[in-house]
Structures are given as C-alpha cells and as structure tokens.
Amino acid sequence: MTTASPPPIDFAALGRAELADDGGRALDALLLVSADIVDATRQAVAAGYAVMPTGGLTSAIGSFDYKKESVADFAGIVAIRPKGAVTADIVDAATPIEHLRTHEVALDRENGLVSAGAGLTFTQINAVLAEQVGPNARVLVDLTSIGSAFVGGVVATGAMGPLRMRPSMTLDAVVLADGGEARVMAGDDLDLVEGLQGWTGMVAAARFRFYDVPPSEFGLVLPVQGSDIDAVAGLLAYLEPWTQVHLPGAGGRLGNGDTVLNGVELVSRDSLEVFVEHAQDPARSKAQGLLQSCEYAGADWLACITGWSENSVDDVLFSLLDPETETIGGVMIEYGVGFSSGAEMDTFRAIREGAPDLARTRARVRPEGRMKPWTTSTDVNVSVPADAGAIADVMAAYADYRQAVRTLARELAGSGVDIELSAYGHLSPHGIDPHHRVTIFADEGLETALAAARQAVLADKRTLIRDLLHAAERGGGRVTGGEKGAPSLVEIARAAGGEGRMPEELRRRMGRARAAVSSAPTNFNFRAPDEMKCAQT
C-alpha cells in the first residue's frame, strides 16, 4: 500500500496574513492554514519562502522587528497556522508522533503519555484524558489560556502559567518541521525548540506525560495591600509548602498530600474596576463583590489562589489557616471569597483573566484622534527561597518600578500623552513574575513626545530587571528567565549590560539557544534578534 503525496500548494492563491511586528508595522505575508505542518513547511521552503508560525494564540509567537531587507532573498513570507478542530480526533496509540496531523491525539495509557497535534488546545487534550483515562487525568501545562493557546504555540514560546513550570517539565518529545523530513526531538534536544519562537522550525506535534490530580478544583481570593510589601512577602512565604509540586512517574498521582496550590496570582484593583465596566454577568456581579471586598479590607490587590484538593473549599480554607493567628500567612480572611469546582471556577477564571485581557486589548486598539498605543510588559521569572525577607526584596523592586511609571504619568498629565499601568501575574515563590503592563497613548502629531515617554519607560524597565537580578542574588534565589523563552533571555541580557553580566545558568541557556538558532535554516531564523544569529563577541 502506498500513501498518496500531498497536493501541491498554490502559494499565489493564498490570502494575506493580518499580522504586525512588535512595532505595529504590518507584515507583507501570506497565510497558510494546514493540518500537515511538516508538508506545509517543506513546500514553503522548497518554493523559496521564509516561514513563520502564527495563530498559536500565545503572546510572542509572531513578534519580531520586521525589516523588508531581512527577507529580500526570499520569495516572500508565509505565515503557517496549524488547523484546529472543535474536538480532537483520537487515533491509534501506535501512530508515530511524526505522523499526527494538527487535530489528532494518540493516547498511550499504559505509559502515561499523550501525543497531540500542534493545532489543539490543552483543554481539548484534557477532555480526551477525562474521557479515556479518568476525570482527574490531565497534562500539567498550567497556562491560564489552556482553552485557547495551541500546543505548537505553547511549546514554541516556552510559555508558563501559575505553576511556573516550563512545558519541558512534562514534555516527552516534539516534532520539529524545518523544511525537510520531520525531526523528533527529545531529552536535552527539547531546548532546541522550546522557547525559540519558531526560529529553528515549526512545532508539528508534541508528546506529554500526564498525571492524576486531586478531584476538586478551588479558588480563594484574598484582598491585600500592594504597598505593604512585608505583608505580601509573608503571605507568599507561608504558602510555599502547598505550592511545591512533586511530579510522580508518568500517569501517577501528584504526591503533595490532600491539597496542592497550583497558582498564586495577582489582580490589581484598578484592573478589576475596568473589568467590571465591560464584563457580563455572572462574572460582572462576582467581580463587583470582589471590589467590595477590596474596599472593606482597604486593599488594592487581590491575591488569587487556585488549586486542587480532596476537600471542599471551606475545608481547604481551614487547612491553610495558621491556628495561632487565625490568618493565612498574616492576611485576615474576613473579606476572602471562595470558589469551588464547576461554573464557579469558570467565573473565577473569567475574572482573573479579564484584567490582563482588557489591558492587552486596550494596547492594540487605536483610539479616535490618537496614534496607535505603545505598550510593554515585564517578564522576569524570579525563584526565591521561602523567606519573607528575600521575597520582600523582589517585591520592592516592582514597587519602585510602579512608582517611577506613575511619577512619569503625573509629569505628562495634560500634555496629550497618557500612561496607564496594569498589574497582574504570578506570585508563587517558585516564580515571582507579576506582569506590569505599561501602555502609552498619545494624540496624533505627538510622535516626538511619544518616543520620549517610551524611552523613559524602557529605561525604568531596564532598572527593574537589574534590581531583580541583584535581589535574587542577595536572597539566595535565581532569575530563571521569563514566559517568552529566548526573547526574555535577550531582554534580560540587554538590561544587565551584556550577556557576560547574566547569571551563569542563563548564559548557558542563551549560548545553547544561539547555537540552535544560528545553525537553523535562514527560512526560519530570519525573525530572530541579532544576538541569536551570530557568535558571541
């Protein structure tokens, strides 16, 4: 029996891709949606096109500084999007991973492994596991966007979520499509794909280890005062034992006892207020209730704690209480709000993700009479011991950054340039990364003023990164990179004053990434920053 060759792709008939680079410049690119990523990249390279992934629904997969001269030697750019599906198609467990199409899943129950095409979401994969293995089986890729982000995009960006685990923590193998035969990468070679944004090729499929988690999902919201750094640090240090995730063998049960905290995240009060203005019930009503909790507690942040447990949310709350102080790490629970499995958790997630979603949306939309907004978000993951002093040192660096941005906003008030700051993100001691998104709006014609404000914010951001590097070193912690993989490493190196000033672990990762990118086909690495395409000097 022979397999028919895939039909030739008529590139001249493809539509245009609606894409822009980091600076908002439109790309001159074609869009190709395919269920066979290996064949799509092979034909695109053979036809002389530069190739970039798109549609992974992660925030960095399509970003780069677009210059037409960088693709002058190619027939053009083809943006390839994995074809998705409403539900995953389950194929025979013996199907080789390199033969999976973008919407297919192969389940190896005996070995605790699940393989999936690049166009599926982790919600879809977990639905297959729930049906075929059991309701508590899941892949521990812990993105808050598991219902939208594609497998290919998550692996390519190295995206992390509340657990602060890179995909490679549970990743067994990846299929890389770089214009030739499919390449199956495993072990240390996963570093040649994960977090490299498609600069070495496109992710066609991935195989993950899956695990069994406790049956009940819960959420707990505690109002806290962001300016009280010591109180926030004390809370995080206290919660650290419950945030440790001990991975068993593939297919096994998490060994953390009755309760596992899989996330401690931040939502600022002002972000919540914006969410209430735009949200629909029931999320709107619940969010209004959380705003009241902030008001009663005199708080400007919400610490959103999520996890799995054998117990009800009320019992979880009791188990987290310090019996001597009747607080959770010094935080009074009088105004805390609990959410349990099902519709309540869906509402909770809508609120928790509403703030960053609205901030990102505002940064993309051009208001009438104003120029396209400029935006930047912090992304430095800092892991520190369960020590309140070390955590407070990290949080103080963010407080200084917020103060610097707000001071600049006041100085520019009434000038036609407005600055908004939205804070949200991760507070787990294993990865403190509370994203601070700054968005600048300027009236038309104020290009020079916008550029000056942008440079001022970037200078403050570089100071923040240097402060975080110093705080981690002082507190016995480490900076582990960021959620955007290699782009995060590049940003840290630039802020530190050069690669030689980075921590040794990050220098090693940067060097390995550079070696992979610089040796990749130019059809893919054309988007990479200069630091990744040439030998270190």
Side-chain angles (χ1 to χ4, degrees):
M1 180 178 176
T2 59
T3 302
S5 298
I9 297 170
D10 183 1
F11 290 96
L14 296 177
R16 313 306 295 182
E18 298 294 329
L19 297 171
D21 75 350
D22 280 342
R25 291 180 290 269
L27 267 63
D28 184 13
L30 303 174
L31 176 63
L32 172 60
V33 180
S34 177
D36 189 340
I37 299 299
V38 174
D39 175 66
T41 56
R42 182 190 297 120
Q43 291 201 46
V45 169
Y49 284 93
V51 178
M52 62 176 288
T54 186
L57 296 180
T58 58
S59 58
I61 192 68
S63 61
F64 69 107
D65 184 17
Y66 175 54
K67 299 181 179 69
K68 285 192 174 183
E69 56 267 27
S70 67
V71 293
D73 295 333
F74 296 101
I77 301 175
V78 172
I80 299 179
R81 175 179 298 163
K83 187 175 183 180
V86 176
T87 57
D89 283 351
I90 303 175
V91 299
D92 189 274
T95 303
I97 186 175
E98 61 269 30
H99 292 172
L100 286 181
R101 295 171 72 81
T102 57
H103 59 284
E104 293 178 338
V105 167
L107 179 61
D108 181 357
R109 294 185 58 174
E110 182 177 349
N111 293 303
L113 299 171
V114 59
S115 302
L120 292 173
T121 70
F122 288 94
T123 293
Q124 291 173 314
I125 297 171
N126 286 335
V128 171
L129 292 174
E131 178 183 331
Q132 300 292 321
V133 179
N136 304 318
R138 67 186 66 204
V139 175
L140 292 185
V141 171
D142 61 318
L143 294 176
T144 48
S145 56
I146 60 171
S148 59
F150 285 174
V151 165
V154 171
V155 174
T157 56
M160 296 185 291
L163 275 171
R164 303 284 81 195
M165 289 168 45
R166 297 172 67 197
S168 53
M169 291 290 290
T170 61
L171 191 57
D172 185 71
V174 168
V175 178
L176 184 69
D178 62 2
E181 295 299 318
R183 298 169 60 195
V184 179
M185 321 288 280
D188 291 342
D189 286 344
L190 292 173
D191 283 346
L192 308 181
V193 183
E194 183 186 53
L196 294 187
Q197 309 295 322
W199 299 335
T200 58
M202 279 194 67
V203 175
R207 183 167 62 229
F208 293 88
R209 296 178 287 276
F210 65 82
Y211 303 93
D212 195 52
V213 302
S216 298
E217 188 179 20
F218 67 87
L220 178 62
V221 180
L222 296 177
V224 295
Q225 181 61 38
S227 60
D228 192 347
I229 293 170
D230 291 334
V232 175
L235 171 66
L236 300 185
Y238 178 81
L239 292 176
E240 193 271 343
W242 287 278
T243 64
Q244 295 184 31
V245 177
H246 305 292
L247 293 178
R253 182 66 175 267
L254 291 187
N256 295 56
D258 291 342
T259 299
V260 181
L261 299 187
N262 59 23
V264 184
E265 294 190 280
L266 161 72
V267 174
S268 61
R269 178 174 176 173
D270 51 0
S271 298
L272 190 61
E273 289 171 343
V274 175
F275 175 79
V276 168
E277 292 178 9
H278 296 85
Q280 303 294 320
D281 282 330
R284 182 175 182 273
S285 297
K286 286 287 188 181
Q288 286 177 318
L290 294 178
L291 276 177
Q292 286 185 329
S293 296
C294 284
E295 184 176 345
Y296 296 152
D300 60 357
W301 281 5
L302 294 174
C304 300
I305 302 167
T306 57
W308 302 296
S309 181
E310 302 283 355
N311 306 312
S312 69
V313 66
D314 290 337
D315 290 337
V316 169
L317 181 62
F318 182 78
S319 70
L320 295 178
L321 277 177
D322 182 336
E324 293 185 4
T325 64
E326 295 188 347
T327 67
I328 296 179
V331 176
M332 301 293 294
I333 66 168
E334 181 179 1
Y335 302 113
V337 179
F339 297 80
S340 55
S341 294
E344 281 195 7
M345 281 303 296
D346 290 339
T347 300
F348 172 76
R349 278 188 287 266
I351 296 171
R352 187 185 63 184
E353 286 307 294
D357 283 347
L358 280 170
R360 287 189 287 263
T361 298
R362 283 184 58 77
R364 288 194 298 264
V365 177
R366 178 174 180 170
E368 185 176 355
R370 315 204 85 177
M371 293 185 288
K372 178 179 173 59
W374 177 86
T375 187
T376 185
S377 179
T378 61
D379 176 34
V380 179
N381 197 67
V382 185
S383 177
V384 293
D387 176 81
I391 297 172
D393 207 6
V394 172
M395 299 304 294
Y398 282 102
D400 290 345
Y401 178 66
R402 290 194 299 274
Q403 182 61 43
V405 171
R406 287 167 178 161
T407 297
L408 179 63
R410 288 194 297 270
E411 292 173 352
L412 295 176
S415 69
V417 177
D418 299 312
I419 298 179
E420 291 185 358
L421 172 65
S422 180
Y424 51 87
H426 310 284
L427 296 177
S428 170
H430 305 288
I432 301 175
D433 190 1
H435 308 304
H436 286 49
R437 179 172 293 280
V438 177
T439 305
I440 304 178
F441 302 86
D443 295 342
E444 291 180 350
L446 296 182
E447 289 86 355
T448 301
L450 174 61
R454 182 174 66 241
Q455 291 305 316
V457 170
L458 289 176
D460 290 335
K461 186 178 178 182
R462 288 192 294 270
T463 298
L464 167 65
I465 295 174
R466 289 193 292 269
D467 288 347
L468 292 174
L469 288 168
H470 295 322
E473 185 177 7
R474 286 192 299 268
R478 60 196 183 101
V479 172
T480 63
E483 291 186 13
K484 304 303 182 290
S488 296
L489 295 179
V490 170
E491 183 175 52
I492 292 170
R494 291 173 177 173
E499 198 170 326
R501 296 178 180 271
M502 296 172 73
E504 182 178 354
E505 177 188 353
L506 297 188
R507 289 202 304 271
R508 286 198 303 268
R509 284 178 53 197
M510 188 102 164
R512 186 163 170 78
R514 179 188 301 103
V517 173
S518 61
S519 62
T522 55
N523 305 73
F524 298 92
N525 71 16
F526 73 98
R527 295 184 302 121
D530 291 340
E531 292 95 326
M532 285 292 169
K533 290 191 289 188
C534 58
Q536 182 182 1
T537 58

